[in-house]
Every structure is written in structure tokens, then in C-alpha cells.
Amino acid sequence: MPGLQTSSVFQVFMKTDMGASAFMLSPSLLILLLPLSSSTLNKGSHLSVENPGDVLVSPHNVFTAGFYAVGDNAYCFAVWFSDPFCSSNNCTIVWMANRDEPVNGKRSRLSLLDGGNVVLADADHSTVWTTNTASISSTQLDLYDSGNLVLHNFNGTILWQSFDSPTDTLLPEQPLTRKVQLVSARSQSNFSSGFFKLYFDNDNVLRLLFDGPEVSDIYWPDPELMTWENGRSTYNNSRIAVLDSKGNFSSTDDFTFLSADFGLSRQRRLKIDFDGNLRLYSRVGIGGKWVVTWQAMSQPCRIHGTCGPNSICSYVPSSGRKCSCIPGYKVTNPADWSSGCEPEFNIPCTAGEVGFLQLTNVEFFGYDFGFYPNCTLECCKRLCLETCNCKGFQFKFIKHDHPSGIPYCYPKTLLLNGHHSPNFQGDLYLKVPKTGLFRQNDSEKKASLDCPGESLKQLNRTYARQNKNRTLEALLLIAIIVGAVEFIIFLVPNFLIRTHKNRRAQLQGLNSTDNGEETQHKGMATWVREKMNDVAISGSSSIEDIIDPKLEGEYDKKNMEILVAVALKCVVEDRNARPTMSQVVEMLTSHENDKHLRKDDDHHME
């Protein structure tokens, strides 16, 4: 409440039959209860960092604007969703004025000056952030239920608005234009500007970019494909993208998507997360749990810059993403994997003193000093040995029309964007010294991708032959059936409908489809997804509500939860976000292998 003097904890006294009593209220609850909260900051007024009640609250209590703690004695002026119990470490921030230059927790203030300028001043009265506006008529700063913080004059003319300068989040009806970009946070707890960006490129295409301290890389849409192969158009130079309140996102480069809960009344936000993925979040209302209803990258290790130079990203569904250094390298900063790894050796330029270490199914994208088709393994080694700054080379066979494939060689000057996947049909040959760290007879051996740790101790184990896993067979069968049904009842009608839409209707995404089968499809997926969300929120399993009762409980609940999770990924609205069949098999087999290993470990610990 502007001008209201408050403290960090408030005592409220009530008269009862027993006399006066007191109870304590947190600032966030007091903001909701006191009638003095305002959505407007008038000319000549200010908000103080020292008064927790000095905030703006939108008319229907959807958003709050005020000083938000981002560290010890460090505050940013921000806008966040109004949750009753949110605090300085768990509020959902949608905008920040000074994310890269926090102010002091004493004597800092945000002021609306008489001349029509909004100024954020630090404790020493230095200006940290300003709207750079001026007006001879009366002005006021309003926070709307849309989340937009707007400075306007008496005539209603907008002088400045937060929607024109987003941070990492886009709200419904907030346009992303050629003039702005979304920039990720540095980490989950560090709100300063990170390395990932969503922006319109000079060719009018919406892209995701890793913009690191030394290199920059576009990683979405797929850089290995042509623009038209990614379903994008370069002809519309207006460069505007908008998310509507129903969950429809449309961009002038012909990119569109629908949220998994499209059409339902939800609070929504599109955010580029600190890990580089662009995700759409939805929730029912204030205090509800945020759920991911769309994401740009279904394979986290395909996000460039994830693990830094000279390191490899690997992904296991049960445990998530993991970074590890390539052999002979050590982590530069254990607290920040974006710094990557550094070598523990010097590579000599003399050909006779170096060899190559084979890393199977490992790809390092980009930074080739050339590519050489129909070049054998020996040819590729020779090319790398002849160039002193060659770090290694990518080697793989591409079939084309040749039954056995044509060998391709990609010598590397930098080892960036590394990832390991059994689906990648190629190897990385790492250039290493023959003496010192690596013995000569080891220079051609395959390297383990395990993280460095204590020396391994061999265990004597006997493995019993496993019975055929009928749950896994059922999983694969259901996945195939779901894919077939999905193609028949949804993709074909959807393709025909979209083919006959005109470009303008496709851009605006306002046409509705009167298709009973599609509605039924979405209803089933939404019902199952909500059931699974209930499981995640409560922590207890209600998988019985989803599984056919004819099975009479004769199934593994954990396996069935994995099945449902995989099936939901297979029927998301965006086709590009769906896993391939090989990825489905990999997810299911990874779960089975992890389960068997855990059983073996438990057996040997007895």
C-alpha cells in the first residue's frame, strides 16, 4: 500500500468475550486482507523497499508488483502472481525491472515523479532503472489483471508498459515483436540474465538461441533442417507472436501450437527456463499447481550450451539430464556446468605423439572446419593430424542410396554441444596424447561416459534369467495402438482441416473445429493428464482410476504409471514434441534396467 507504514510482521487485535487477543499475519496475507491495497501509484508517490506492504495489487488480485528479495540485502522491483503464501523464494515472477542490478534493502524506492518519469533509486539515490518518460499532464502507474504494468497520462495515452520490455516470460495477449526478446534467468535461484534467448531472427523466423560468453548457437527450430522443412516461413516480416488465454500460440513465421489443455479457463505463462527450454505453464487459479502443457524441446540434451565445452550431456528419464567430462578433462566449475570442462593435458602437434579415443554414440554439433564425404576412418584421422587445432572428429555413415552407407568426416576445432544417445548412429574420435595421461595401446579404446569418482570395485554377481516382462510387452503394444488411433482419428482430419484454412485464419488461430472425434480425443487425454497431476500433487497413487478394472489389480503400479506418462507424451498436441518409437522403447527399457539394477544392489547389500 503506497505510503502505508508497515512492518515485516503485523499484529492484529480482536475483541472477544475473554478480552483482547492478538495473532500474527505475514505480509502476503495482509496484502490480501487489508482494504487499503491499490492498483495505482499516483504522481508524486513512491513505494519503499523497507515496507513490505508497499505494493500494487491488480483489481481482482491476480498480480502483485513490489520489491522482491533476490539475495541477501538485494531486491528487484518485480511483478508476480498473487499467491496467498508465496514468499521471497517461491513466488512466480513474470517481470523484473532491474534483474541485473538489484538495489539495497534499505532506503531504496520506486517513485513516480511529477514530470511523468518512473525512477527506481538505490540507497545512495543513484538511478538504477527508469522508464525515461515525461508528461506535462497528470500521470499514474497502474497494474492490470493481465499482468501489464502501465504508465499513462490523464488522457489515457500509454507512455510506457512492462509488456513492451519482457524478461523471461510472456503472458496471454502480450505480443513478442521484432523489438524484444525473452532472456532466461542464470539459474533457478539467480534471476540475472542467462544465456538462452527467444527472439525473431533477421530472416523473420522465431528462434531459440544459446548466447554464451564465447560462442552463440541456434538450436530451435532444428538447425540441421531447412526453414521450410521445419514448417516455418520467412515471407512475413511483421514478426509478431502471441499466446491467447485459451492456450493457442501463433507466430507470423507460420509456427503455431495448442496447449495440452487448450480451451479451458486457466492462468498461463510462456517462459524460457534457465535450462534453455521454452515451456508453457498452466494452472487452474490462484494457489494452484503449475503444469507444463507444451514445451519446445522434447530431448533436453539437444539444447545447445547445456553442459558447456568438452562435456557430454546424457538423459535418462528416471533421473533426468546429466553432464560429464570427456576422458582426460576435468570440470571447470562444479557449481556451473555451463562452464564445461578443461583438459588435463597438452596435445602436441607432432602426428606421431597423438592418437584417437573413440566415444561411441556421441555427437558434438557444429564447429567443423570442413566436412568430407566418402572419407574413410584413416582419411579422417589424417585430416585431423594435419591440423594442430583439431580437437577430434565426428565420423558416421549416411546411407543415401548406398546400401552400406557413405562415410562422412567432420573434423572439429571446438567440442561444444556434446550429447550421448543410443539413437545417434555415429562416433566421436577424441584427439589425445599417446604418452602421459593415455598409453599408446589405449588410444583406440572406447571411453566410458561415467562421471569421475572412487575407484571401481569388481563385484561377483550372478544374474538369474528374467521372466518375460509382459507389462513391457503390453506397454509397447499399447503405444503402437495409441499411435495408430492417433493417426486415424486426429492427425488425418486435422491435416485436412488445416489444409483448407486460409493463411490469415491459421495465423490468428481463431477458427474452431467442429469435430466430435477430436473433442473426444482431447477429452480423454485431458482426463488422464488431470488424474496424473492429482497423483503428483497428493503423492499417493490413484492409478486404479485409469487402469481397466478387468485386470483386477494384477499389475505393477509403478510400471503402469510409467506407461501412462509415456502414453501422454505420445499424444501431446504438438507432433514435434512427441517421442519417436525408438525413444519410447528407450524410456521403457531404461526403466526396466534401472529396476533390475536396484534389485541386484539390494540383494548384495543383504
Side-chain angles (χ1 to χ4, degrees):
M1 283 63 69
L4 179 65
Q5 299 298 315
T6 58
S7 59
S8 59
V9 178
F10 304 87
Q11 284 191 327
V12 178
F13 290 88
M14 301 177 62
K15 280 192 174 181
T16 66
D17 292 338
M18 302 295 293
S21 63
F23 62 94
M24 310 297 262
L25 286 179
S26 68
S28 57
L29 285 177
L30 189 70
I31 290 167
L32 299 179
L33 297 177
L34 287 180
L36 298 177
S37 62
S38 172
S39 62
T40 301
L41 183 68
N42 293 311
K43 181 181 67 174
S45 301
H46 69 269
L47 302 176
S48 173
V49 69
E50 298 178 77
N51 297 327
D54 271 13
V55 295
L56 301 179
V57 180
S58 67
H60 292 91
N61 193 33
V62 181
F63 290 95
T64 301
F67 285 94
Y68 187 84
V70 296
D72 293 337
N73 197 37
Y75 289 80
C76 290
F77 190 80
V79 176
W80 62 87
F81 279 94
S82 300
D83 287 320
F85 299 102
C86 85
S87 61
S88 60
N89 62 354
N90 65 357
C91 294
T92 304
I93 303 293
V94 298
W95 178 81
M96 276 188 172
N98 57 316
R99 66 189 304 191
D100 294 317
E101 193 175 353
V103 295
N104 197 292
K106 298 289 185 180
R107 296 186 296 279
S108 298
R109 58 170 57 181
L110 181 89
S111 305
L112 176 53
L113 305 182
D114 292 339
N117 194 19
V118 179
V119 175
L120 176 60
D122 208 343
D124 60 357
H125 304 294
S126 61
T127 298
V128 172
W129 174 87
T130 176
T131 57
N132 288 316
T133 52
S135 176
I136 58 175
S137 62
S138 179
T139 56
Q140 65 184 47
L141 184 67
D142 283 312
L143 178 62
Y144 295 134
D145 283 326
S146 63
N148 196 10
L149 187 64
V150 180
L151 176 66
H152 59 87
N153 62 19
F154 181 76
N155 298 322
T157 302
I158 295 177
L159 305 177
W160 173 91
Q161 57 182 343
S162 61
F163 270 18
D164 288 340
S165 56
T167 48
D168 61 1
T169 300
L170 208 64
L171 293 171
E173 311 305 334
Q174 178 181 2
L176 182 71
T177 67
R178 65 169 69 215
K179 297 180 181 179
V180 299
Q181 57 187 5
L182 300 187
V183 181
S184 70
R186 191 68 181 85
S187 69
Q188 193 163 10
S189 58
N190 184 347
F191 293 93
S192 60
S193 298
F195 298 139
F196 301 100
K197 298 178 180 180
L198 174 71
Y199 74 110
F200 276 102
D201 209 342
N202 292 330
D203 61 355
N204 304 321
V205 174
L206 191 64
R207 300 189 186 278
L208 287 173
L209 171 75
F210 169 70
D211 190 12
E214 298 179 359
V215 297
S216 296
D217 270 324
I218 291 171
Y219 57 92
W220 180 86
D222 191 343
E224 293 185 340
L225 301 178
M226 302 295 291
T227 301
W228 60 270
E229 291 178 304
N230 282 310
R232 304 298 184 90
S233 170
T234 61
Y235 298 114
N236 192 333
N237 61 7
S238 55
R239 302 185 199 173
I240 300 174
V242 179
L243 171 71
D244 70 19
S245 60
K246 298 298 183 181
N248 177 59
F249 182 88
S250 298
S251 172
T252 51
D253 66 350
D254 285 350
F255 173 68
T256 63
F257 72 80
L258 300 178
S259 67
D261 56 359
F262 171 72
L264 299 178
S265 178
R266 295 286 189 268
Q267 289 185 338
R268 305 181 189 277
R269 57 189 175 96
L270 183 68
K271 181 182 180 183
I272 180 167
D273 285 318
F274 70 92
D275 64 355
N277 210 346
L278 181 67
R279 297 182 177 95
L280 177 62
Y281 294 88
S282 306
R283 70 175 184 178
V284 175
I286 294 177
K289 179 180 176 61
W290 290 105
V291 177
V292 177
T293 53
W294 177 87
Q295 62 180 0
M297 304 292 293
S298 59
Q299 301 180 56
C301 285
R302 301 293 293 183
I303 298 174
H304 292 184
T306 296
C307 294
N310 308 314
S311 62
I312 298 172
C313 175
S314 57
Y315 178 72
V316 178
S318 59
S319 59
R321 189 172 58 184
K322 182 182 75 172
C323 298
S324 57
C325 293
I326 55 179
Y329 289 70
K330 62 181 180 179
V331 62
T332 303
N333 181 3
D336 183 8
W337 267 100
S338 65
S339 301
C341 305
E342 56 189 10
E344 297 182 291
F345 56 82
N346 293 318
I347 301 178
C349 284
T350 305
E353 298 179 8
V354 296
F356 295 95
L357 195 65
Q358 182 184 2
L359 308 179
T360 59
N361 304 123
V362 170
E363 178 185 22
F364 281 87
F365 183 84
Y367 302 96
D368 317 317
F369 64 75
F371 85 97
Y372 301 87
N374 206 21
C375 181
T376 64
L377 183 60
E378 293 303 318
C379 164
C380 207
K381 289 180 180 179
R382 186 174 64 255
L383 287 171
C384 190
L385 291 173
E386 291 173 352
T387 305
C388 190
N389 67 343
C390 177
K391 306 296 184 183
F393 60 87
Q394 202 81 56
F395 186 77
K396 62 181 180 180
F397 286 87
I398 300 178
K399 285 192 174 181
H400 296 299
D401 296 329
H402 198 280
S404 59
I406 298 175
Y408 275 74
C409 172
Y410 304 84
K412 304 284 183 180
T413 57
L414 293 174
L415 297 177
L416 295 171
N417 312 316
H419 73 99
H420 171 260
S421 172
N423 295 322
F424 176 68
Q425 302 300 314
D427 301 325
L428 189 281
Y429 286 81
L430 179 65
K431 195 176 186 180
V432 295
K434 286 184 176 180
T435 58
L437 181 64
F438 295 96
R439 300 191 307 272
Q440 181 173 352
N441 59 356
D442 286 337
S443 62
E444 298 292 344
K445 289 185 178 180
K446 298 178 182 179
S448 170
L449 297 180
D450 294 336
C451 292
E454 298 177 357
S455 59
L456 298 178
K457 181 179 179 180
Q458 185 173 354
L459 298 177
N460 293 322
R461 292 182 174 178
T462 58
Y463 295 90
R465 181 178 179 85
Q466 299 292 329
N467 294 328
K468 187 178 292 184
N469 192 312
R470 299 193 178 277
T471 302
L472 182 58
E473 288 183 349
L475 231 79
L476 293 174
L477 180 60
I478 291 173
I480 294 171
I481 294 173
V482 168
V485 173
E486 172 75 3
F487 180 81
I488 295 171
I489 71 171
F490 178 68
L491 294 182
V492 172
N494 193 49
F495 173 78
L496 296 176
I497 291 166
R498 291 191 179 185
T499 301
H500 290 85
K501 284 183 179 181
N502 59 51
R503 176 178 291 267
R504 182 175 180 182
Q506 184 184 24
L507 173 62
Q508 295 177 343
L510 299 178
N511 289 0
S512 60
T513 304
D514 186 14
N515 190 316
E517 292 177 339
E518 183 176 348
T519 303
Q520 183 180 9
H521 167 82
K522 290 180 181 176
M524 175 64 73
T526 301
W527 177 79
V528 174
R529 188 172 284 106
E530 289 176 352
K531 285 290 183 182
M532 295 303 290
N533 290 339
D534 292 341
V535 172
I537 294 172
S538 65
S540 60
S541 176
S542 60
I543 197 71
E544 296 89 348
D545 297 340
I546 301 173
I547 302 303
D548 191 335
K550 293 180 180 179
L551 294 178
E552 298 179 349
E554 295 183 0
Y555 54 84
D556 185 288
K557 289 185 178 181
K558 186 62 179 177
N559 280 348
M560 284 301 178
E561 288 177 2
I562 295 292
L563 162 64
V564 175
V566 173
L568 287 175
K569 290 182 179 181
C570 293
V571 295
V572 293
E573 193 71 30
D574 183 8
R575 291 186 302 170
N576 295 326
R578 298 173 187 169
T580 63
M581 184 57 67
S582 60
Q583 290 170 337
V584 170
V585 173
E586 183 179 348
M587 286 188 283
L588 300 180
T589 53
S590 295
H591 168 67
E592 290 298 312
N593 292 337
D594 290 344
K595 184 174 67 176
H596 294 156
L597 287 175
R598 286 194 298 270
K599 288 182 178 179
D600 290 336
D601 290 338
D602 293 341
H603 172 74
H604 285 284
M605 291 176 63
E606 294 176 353

